[in-house]
Amino acid sequence: MTEYPLQWKQMTVGVCYYPEHWPREMWETDLARMKAAGISVVRVGEFAWNLVEPEEGVFRFDFFGDFLSLCAEKDMRVILGTPTATPPAWLTEKYPEVLNVTRDGVTYRHGARRHYNYNSPKYRELCARIVEQLAVHYAGHPMVVGWQIDNELNCGVDEFHSEADQAAFRAFLRDKYGTLEALNRAWGAVFWNQTYTDWAQVYPPRRVPMDGYNPHQMLDYSRFVSESAIRFCRMQADILLKYAKPGDFITTNGMFGNLDNARMTRECLDVYTYDSYPSFGEAQSGDASANEFRDRESSRYLTDVRGICPHFGIMEQESGMTLLPAPAPKPGQLELWATQSVAQGADFVSFFRWRTCPFGAEYYWHGILDYDSRDNRKLREVSAFCEHMRALDPVCGAKSAAAFAVVKDFDNACDARLDSWHAKVQAFSEREIFAASQYGHAPYDTVWLDGETPLAALTAYPVLIYPHPFIIDPQRVELLEAYVRQGGTLIVGCRAGLKDMDGHCVTRPLPGLLSGLTGTDIREFTFEDAREPFTALWNGEVVRMPVFDEILTPAEGTQVLARYASNGYAGEAAVTERPLGRGRTIHVGGAFGRDLVKKLLAHAGVCEPFRDIVEAPEAVEIVLREKDGRRFLFCLNYQATKQEVRLKATATSLYDGKCLTGRVVLPPYGTAVFEIEN
Amino acid sequence: MTEYPLQWKQMTVGVCYYPEHWPREMWETDLARMKAAGISVVRVGEFAWNLVEPEEGVFRFDFFGDFLSLCAEKDMRVILGTPTATPPAWLTEKYPEVLNVTRDGVTYRHGARRHYNYNSPKYRELCARIVEQLAVHYAGHPMVVGWQIDNELNCGVDEFHSEADQAAFRAFLRDKYGTLEALNRAWGAVFWNQTYTDWAQVYPPRRVPMDGYNPHQMLDYSRFVSESAIRFCRMQADILLKYAKPGDFITTNGMFGNLDNARMTRECLDVYTYDSYPSFGEAQSGDASANEFRDRESSRYLTDVRGICPHFGIMEQESGMTLLPAPAPKPGQLELWATQSVAQGADFVSFFRWRTCPFGAEYYWHGILDYDSRDNRKLREVSAFCEHMRALDPVCGAKSAAAFAVVKDFDNACDARLDSWHAKVQAFSEREIFAASQYGHAPYDTVWLDGETPLAALTAYPVLIYPHPFIIDPQRVELLEAYVRQGGTLIVGCRAGLKDMDGHCVTRPLPGLLSGLTGTDIREFTFEDAREPFTALWNGEVVRMPVFDEILTPAEGTQVLARYASNGYAGEAAVTERPLGRGRTIHVGGAFGRDLVKKLLAHAGVCEPFRDIVEAPEAVEIVLREKDGRRFLFCLNYQATKQEVRLKATATSLYDGKCLTGRVVLPPYGTAVFEIEN
Amino acid sequence: MTEYPLQWKQMTVGVCYYPEHWPREMWETDLARMKAAGISVVRVGEFAWNLVEPEEGVFRFDFFGDFLSLCAEKDMRVILGTPTATPPAWLTEKYPEVLNVTRDGVTYRHGARRHYNYNSPKYRELCARIVEQLAVHYAGHPMVVGWQIDNELNCGVDEFHSEADQAAFRAFLRDKYGTLEALNRAWGAVFWNQTYTDWAQVYPPRRVPMDGYNPHQMLDYSRFVSESAIRFCRMQADILLKYAKPGDFITTNGMFGNLDNARMTRECLDVYTYDSYPSFGEAQSGDASANEFRDRESSRYLTDVRGICPHFGIMEQESGMTLLPAPAPKPGQLELWATQSVAQGADFVSFFRWRTCPFGAEYYWHGILDYDSRDNRKLREVSAFCEHMRALDPVCGAKSAAAFAVVKDFDNACDARLDSWHAKVQAFSEREIFAASQYGHAPYDTVWLDGETPLAALTAYPVLIYPHPFIIDPQRVELLEAYVRQGGTLIVGCRAGLKDMDGHCVTRPLPGLLSGLTGTDIREFTFEDAREPFTALWNGEVVRMPVFDEILTPAEGTQVLARYASNGYAGEAAVTERPLGRGRTIHVGGAFGRDLVKKLLAHAGVCEPFRDIVEAPEAVEIVLREKDGRRFLFCLNYQATKQEVRLKATATSLYDGKCLTGRVVLPPYGTAVFEIEN
């Protein structure tokens, strides 16, 4: 696994702060109160272009200069944001070509954020200049410890249709394909007579009848958007690198669509940070489709983040109500959510935000302090969290223990946004694997696969579930085969191996390039008939075969683990296993229901990994972080009622240093962290 | 209360008529039949620009001249509409700048109505000219009794994005703020780097990503749209005033969004008229969310209209099916709805329309007569209503009795359209207060508060409910305080005092400027958790605390009326009361459920105001109008079954002059009006 | 009935093939395998413009020339498609005026299909040229047997707003109305002051506020779109006719909106073909609104197709999953669906497509062969179907027996798309008449009425149901009257006779021009109140009177068959009958519920037409085709379980030549075709 610099030498708590939103006379008190609460870092500046360049080419450095001086005085570290997510009004009014445009040709305008495009030469020029100006003036400041590039790249808007984007897409394609013949082939342009005979005919996907878009063009367009965002990020990173002090880090925050976050992190960033808002899973939907996991579902996203960067930070940790609406965090819940981040691998947690902004589009995006600035319950919880974080210092840098890993990759992530079949099975399986993992106390890691993934990134896990690799290429198959040969258990589901890297369906028998590993041959497949749900029998027990079903005709040497028990598929192979070297490949002919995942994990011998240490109800999340032979057990209670876990080993509570074993009660929304005796 | 001229010297029935839709030879018969039914006024002309100005600058006056002559002959009074809601094709084709444009830049085109903008200088010039021409030629006509300006200002479309609107919005802001510094401050422009450095950068809210609009800009934009409509209305009123005969009135019809109807009425109109379509509450929705009140809900809107203009008219009273679809009015229902209008304060009722138009977009917008022109049940009901109206003449000018008043204001009305939290609580509380009022036979008035509201407008009521004044300013607080001091009971709900007039949240403890009155301090608040509904205990009885909940920490001298009984809030203050002078302020920490409203009214001593006069089931609406010491009791049965009320006093039925007491039966959809003996 | 040339001299099975999608070396094997399966025709070329004209004005004929040579060698007949549904990129980039534009002004772009408009002179010129080039070079080829014009005209997009369409609409209206006075009258332009004073002011319906479109303009616009498509089709047909060999046919495929398919077929085509995808009725909707009929509903569409062309073909017969998603066809279902087409009148069935395309927007639109080209279950079913088709040869050209006919016409079809009331009743009645017909084993025909329909087209049926002829004209009434006089039973439902051909509501008593036939007079009508469903009593039995209800006051001589039994309508006439000549007209005052249809058919003596031949459960569809005194009975089982029918006559199974009577079992999804002994 790539070793990112561990930016966080100790458990660190920060907060997002907007000095420009408050009278200067409040700064000092605010910083003092932060420090008193245990906060040691503030993030500032990411929407403050005008304060530095109030008119084109005129730069002023007093504002953040003054603020940094005060921080030095108060011993407060600073992460500086580059302000490129919100160009000034003078900029967009003078250079409207920097604005983004919808697929239908509507230009996004000044008045919110993220209305610019990444490819306008003028915007890149103006961004480069302000970033350089900021770096020149502030990078050497002793209180500056890191830089955040832009803010939430691709958040909300991840399509770009300005003229600059059209030109850049064309250049991206020329670079990728060299010739129109190659592009026509990759895009299957012969279908519906789309063949291009001049580069000038090539565009991003513009409005077509019936949304009948070319899927290969769309796939390339997703990659292009990702490439554009990464180039934009890299441009800034390259500038910052020239000026940043040794040890200072470069990051950006958030995990949004059409963006290969793992590659961006590898290529441009020192460390990755995420914005965690667990109440998004709490929103009142008023119907039965309410999210089963509520706030707990954030552990799924945090697991994906950990896959990008093992020791990540949280740049924005929810500290109150957002616009949704959802109920305010209950007593304890704010700290629960912050501890959830730490359990999943964050060693830096920065709350969003110090005080709710009383104006602007986010005036209901609540901070720690309310509009009235008074001490309150949220501040008390933040203080308590800071105190706990100090006690958790031994955990800093510890690795999260995983029973298995789920494999993901950017190409399939794009495809699952574009291909409605892919979307359907992938969304289902991800949710259900998470459910099985959570309720079974068998945490997993996410491994982001790409051309640069080393074998060691896989062999760290006894079991890999690569749920639905619709798209796969020989290089990845080779890697997976090496993983299996050395003793791994690879599990793939329906539609595996369907497409090549251009998104064309393969013309060899399915599962295509994976056939050698699975030892199966698919000749029949269907969407599940909602009126006749599919099931299979595994050792006499019924399991669901949800969403999409394939008959897996086994080759010689392939063993059948489960057979369909319903509809026309009864008796046919539903789950198979094929040995190879010291390992094996399990092929599931459907999506992954939680009951099936449970069976698979048991079969692979990786369920209940902590059964010797702890016994916990489903309502409690159990996570283990390990470092230098020390084991730290996190117990998180997401319920409004107290929950009991039973420690089977002797353990020391990190919060209070008490040594204990046996029954331990977690209060409502309570957490505990134990160091397990060896 | 402002004394509007009582335009209606006697109960008057009118009808909307479109002479241009019918062969001239039908006019005479139509007028004769109207007269025979008891109709004495027709409204004409409001979509007939082409008949007067068939080409630019060429005016013809014969059409309405001939029609007015016939009216003189038939003794039919006429209300003339100005035709500015539907510019001619020649106009919009030659001057496309007069058209309105959507937020995304799509121009509305000729082919329906209301596709113009208020701010185009050319359109204002052409409108001024045709209005003046009409006034010059017809205002002196003896049959003309009034003028309707345009038609349903802001109906359907209440956003404007033409270049003329952009320029006018900029001018509006320059006028309001003087400097960009002031505008930037008011708009919180420092948030998301929106700061404007040149007026040319300032626009109406155009498309931005994720609908992340600046709420202060939006609020100003709503005010600007209202201002534009009022200026457009005033421009016409000023012209008409120059020519109108003494005693003739100027009005417009309808109550639509982004328009301060109270101010428009005060500044531009002699009297306000409304278009009442109770079947809008009858639409088949096919699901459980069907409107509980159906046609009866119109009483809520009529109450708001009465707040704008105590003795209003109905310019369009529904006389049949509309496009919705909803069932046709049942026998009696048409008259019920017209009587509902009179009960709520209308002394003039004009049916829409004499005969259904057999062509055009409203061919399913049914009139009294059907396409076939024959006498029918609807005409018989209209005749019966006219006869009743003659008997109701003593009621003309009588004031509606109200147990209490609900306070509204234009700023909060705008805010409730823009702020989704505000929308949620306000919509809930309005509906529930109406329910409590209707089922408890405790009618209320609406008081529209603005900078010109006199104290007397408030002191007319023993109790004011100002449900959710998110926005409030010192001047209004002062007025409310004076109201309380003199002996009033003021009731406010959650989120009161949250914002200032710019829509910024206040930084003092909540309820902000209202704290002095409420004697409360809010430190905790939350949206209700749908999975754990909030309740409170009031004198041992459980009441719901719906939608949004605040803990009201009482100051010394503030009494707790109810305490939360659920979730984490149990035991905390939910409803408080604080005395001041001879009055008191009651603070409710949530939205207003009907059970709570009932308790509040009982507590304030204003429930069942008519209990000495009448006893009625919930299904019957009870309204009292008073004049010169005489009391007129309206009983309205909205059910398909007969209903019984019990008169506790001796009373005379106005319909038939019979004197009676005790049990009275209302037929299905039947009404009765009694003069109560003193 | 118009006698179309019976193109299909024998039962024929074809397949859609795209030689351009495959390496040339696969062609030979593909053709050989098709032939082996029993396929004798391929459709090719309909999206292959670039292969013939790779740059403007440069034509190449080798590609299809080579393919045709190979077909000659393999004895495979060919239907050639004209490629005008997918203009090349070089064309749309050079001539953007050929593109279609949305109502809001968004241009559809290259990248899918059907993004062009019919009226651009440049596009018509370029289309004419390529069609002529194709015809010149290939029409004489001995293997070519027919031509398909374009592909699925109006599919997906059936509105056109380019400048060329605006000009063409204006020309269409000038041609239709001659003067603006006539247009203004027809469009009811006096309503809302829409009067046009210059032709330049006239446009297709562009965006207006609140979707308040002029319904008469919309109706004309629908006719214009149809006219445009037909002219475009005719332009191509005229060219093809010049070159086509005698006996070769010209067709197009599909049945889409805003297109008078019957007229297009009559005026431009030799024969009509349809694209049948029964799985569209199978889509998982996940809720209770799932389509009751699932795949069986296609029989309804096929019945409409048969009304356009009695011996039609299926150009695209579903052979696998589509994008929906829906379950894959179960074993037998593919053949069931193909046989469904034959039962309903198709003598030519061409599967879509030979092999699933592994790339492009339709890569989930499955063909017979999967991506891997291997023999599979679908190919076996196609082979079995081909074998059955050879056995069905005696049925070729046989007429489908119908118990009654449903009358439709293009004007009302347009109106039902534009008028929400019309849409509501028509959609309900169509579905319910189909239900009654299917479950009662009483198949019907669709008769498409227009100005050229001969009386004989009606007198072929003892009973006509013309459910809701909102629009009707004297000529059609005359025809219907002649039908009744000669002995027919005409049944019409609510809203019959409401409008004239301009879509104006008539001003005579309803049912307007139909009053003479129905002997009824409608003075009261209403949408059903969902809270109080309407019912009627017919001979003491309750029937539902759904959706919309009219009181049918009977004239003297009109008999009342059923009276309302609910709400305010109780006791009034709900269904009436009036004799005329040897026939009668039945008037239903509502929409047609299935229970009412059953009663009407029984009353008219046309229910259970095959009761002497067969007894079948509701789950089995029964169809009879007749020719030269021979009767062929189709039994189609749509269930996953076997079903039993009882033959009451002696019969010979066409599939296996066995003679049998009494109980016959149909396997799951099984079919049987019997020749009934006379």
Side-chain angles (χ1 to χ4, degrees), chain A residues 119-167:
Chain A
N119 285 304
S120 151
K122 176 52 75 179
Y123 197 55
R124 293 175 63 90
E125 171 198 329
L126 295 171
C127 286
R129 187 167 66 175
I130 192 157
V131 170
E132 181 135 29
Q133 289 288 334
L134 287 168
V136 164
H137 284 81
Y138 300 127
H141 195 285
M143 301 317 289
V144 170
V145 295
W147 293 85
Q148 174 189 299
I149 289 171
D150 199 276
N151 186 73
E152 300 187 337
L153 294 163
N154 279 14
C155 171
V157 176
D158 55 14
E159 280 199 31
F160 298 84
H161 292 274
S162 72
E163 281 187 31
D165 296 304
Q166 295 180 348

Side-chain angles (χ1 to χ4, degrees), chain C residues 47 80 93 151 159 164 292 596 648:
Chain C
F47 297 124
L80 271 175
E93 186 68 15
N151 186 73
E159 281 199 31
E292 164 188 4
L596 179 61
K648 293 177 167 178

Side-chain angles (χ1 to χ4, degrees), chain C residues 602-647:
Chain C
H603 179 75
V606 296
C607 67
E608 301 181 59
F610 312 138
R611 69 177 155 252
D612 299 336
I613 302 174
V614 68
E615 195 180 298
E618 286 194 347
V620 171
E621 180 173 16
I622 297 293
V623 181
L624 191 79
R625 292 185 64 178
E626 297 169 308
K627 182 177 150 193
D628 305 332
R630 298 174 69 180
R631 291 179 299 167
F632 305 100
L633 186 78
F634 287 72
C635 303
L636 309 170
N637 175 15
Y638 293 92
Q639 303 301 312
T641 51
K642 62 183 184 184
Q643 299 288 331
E644 201 177 80
V645 301
R646 195 160 69 83
L647 292 172

Side-chain angles (χ1 to χ4, degrees), chain C residues 25 29 49 150 153 158 279 312 319 345 464 476 491 514 620 628:
Chain C
E25 53 272 24
T29 327
W49 190 318
D150 200 275
L153 293 163
D158 55 14
S279 80
F312 58 95
S319 61
L464 295 180
R476 291 176 198 184
I491 305 175
L514 289 166
V620 171
D628 305 332

Side-chain angles (χ1 to χ4, degrees), chain A residues 209-456:
Chain A
M210 295 186 86
D211 291 336
Y213 296 98
N214 179 316
H216 320 297
Q217 179 188 16
M218 292 294 271
L219 191 58
D220 267 346
Y221 181 68
S222 290
R223 289 164 173 152
F224 159 74
V225 170
S226 175
E227 178 67 28
S228 298
I230 292 174
R231 276 196 299 225
F232 185 73
C233 181
R234 188 188 297 120
M235 174 198 75
Q236 298 198 23
D238 288 348
I239 295 167
L240 294 171
L241 264 180
K242 288 194 285 179
Y243 300 94
K245 296 188 301 296
D248 287 2
F249 60 86
I250 296 169
T251 187
T252 188
N253 58 330
M255 185 173 64
F256 298 93
N258 279 351
L259 180 44
D260 185 344
N261 290 282
R263 184 160 83 82
M264 177 177 67
T265 302
R266 191 172 58 225
E267 297 184 0
C268 315
L269 307 178
D270 294 310
V271 73
Y272 187 69
T273 60
Y274 179 69
D275 297 346
S276 185
Y277 290 94
S279 80
F280 287 9
E282 293 266 313
Q284 299 170 14
S285 68
D287 62 21
S289 72
N291 177 0
E292 165 189 4
F293 300 108
R294 306 176 59 175
D295 50 348
R296 189 172 176 176
E297 183 153 45
S298 283
S299 290
R300 178 148 84 89
Y301 309 130
L302 291 162
T303 299
D304 285 349
V305 170
R306 189 171 66 239
I308 293 168
C309 180
H311 301 285
F312 57 95
I314 301 295
M315 193 59 89
E316 300 186 6
Q317 176 71 47
E318 178 167 7
S319 61
M321 298 176 86
T322 67
L323 187 61
L324 285 177
K330 307 277 197 308
Q333 216 171 14
L334 194 162
E335 191 183 352
L336 167 68
W337 295 342
T339 309
Q340 176 185 34
S341 293
V342 175
Q344 297 297 344
D347 294 343
F348 168 65
V349 175
S350 163
F351 288 92
F352 185 85
R353 51 188 278 171
W354 173 245
R355 186 192 296 107
T356 319
C357 191
F359 47 79
E362 289 191 343
Y363 61 14
Y364 287 157
W365 212 272
H366 284 77
I368 299 171
L369 296 187
D370 293 320
Y371 312 114
D372 61 17
S373 293
R374 292 184 294 178
D375 282 351
N376 63 13
R377 176 170 64 85
K378 290 183 284 181
L379 183 59
R380 285 191 298 276
E381 287 198 31
V382 167
S383 299
F385 174 70
C386 289
E387 200 180 315
H388 283 164
M389 279 290 263
R390 281 189 293 274
L392 291 179
D393 232 24
V395 185
C396 189
K399 191 185 170 312
S400 300
F404 64 102
V406 169
V407 182
K408 296 190 171 184
D409 66 278
F410 181 61
D411 297 294
N412 278 296
C414 291
D415 198 57
R417 286 166 57 107
L418 302 170
D419 170 349
S420 64
W421 289 22
H422 194 162
K424 222 171 149 73
V425 294
Q426 180 70 16
F428 180 89
S429 292
E430 281 200 47
R431 197 175 57 240
E432 292 289 292
I433 292 169
F434 178 72
S437 158
Q438 282 287 322
Y439 296 151
H441 303 307
Y444 65 89
D445 276 352
T446 300
V447 171
W448 289 94
L449 203 64
D450 65 21
E452 308 197 12
T453 311
L455 179 57

Side-chain angles (χ1 to χ4, degrees), chain A residues 86 284 328 358 360 364 374 377, chain B residues 193 216 419 505 521 524 526 528:
Chain A
T86 50
Q284 299 170 14
Y364 287 157
R374 292 184 294 178
R377 176 170 64 85
Chain B
N193 197 51
H216 321 295
D419 170 348
C505 297
D521 180 4
E524 288 277 350
T526 185
E528 190 178 26

